[in-house]
């Protein structure tokens, strides 16, 4: 699952000329990310250090989706 998301993020960057900053996953995808032996101590480590993407949970998804979102706070 982690490799799939990384490949999708790379393809997005090539297509759009900018790195994505969000990944949309359902709860099953989210759980699958942490069944891997990554050596990471917690979910936050994986999201921040490996994916470098914000995670948005959407259970109606069948596949993870990558995107770009304005995440600035005012």
């Amino acid at each position: 699952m982690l490799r799939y998301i990384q490949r999708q993020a790379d393809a997005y960057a090539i297509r759009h000329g900018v790195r994505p900053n969000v990944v949309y996953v359902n709860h099953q995808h989210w759980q699958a990310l942490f069944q891997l032996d990554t050596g990471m101590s917690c979910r936050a480590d994986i999201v921040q250090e490996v994916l470098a993407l914000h995670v948005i949970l959407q259970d109606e998804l069948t596949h993870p989706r990558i995107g770009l979102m304005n995440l600035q706070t005012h």
Side-chain angles (χ1 to χ4, degrees):
M1 180 64 63
L2 186 58
R3 270 282 181 234
Y4 175 81
I5 292 171
Q6 287 174 320
R7 283 193 313 266
Q8 293 300 311
D10 291 343
Y12 184 97
I14 291 167
R15 250 189 335 269
H16 300 285
V18 63
R19 293 291 302 172
N21 63 357
V22 296
V23 60
Y24 300 88
V25 297
N26 67 29
H27 280 88
Q28 291 172 328
H29 303 141
W30 183 243
Q31 292 300 319
L33 282 171
F34 307 106
Q35 292 175 355
L36 303 172
D37 182 18
T38 62
M40 298 285 178
S41 61
C42 69
R43 293 176 184 200
D45 289 342
I46 292 173
V47 172
Q48 292 173 356
E49 295 183 25
V50 177
L51 292 178
L53 299 168
H54 294 274
V55 175
I56 299 174
L57 293 173
Q58 291 186 334
D59 278 333
E60 64 274 5
L61 295 176
T62 54
H63 299 287
R65 289 183 34 225
I66 300 295
L68 185 64
M69 183 179 228
N70 183 356
L71 299 172
Q72 294 178 344
T73 58
H74 298 276

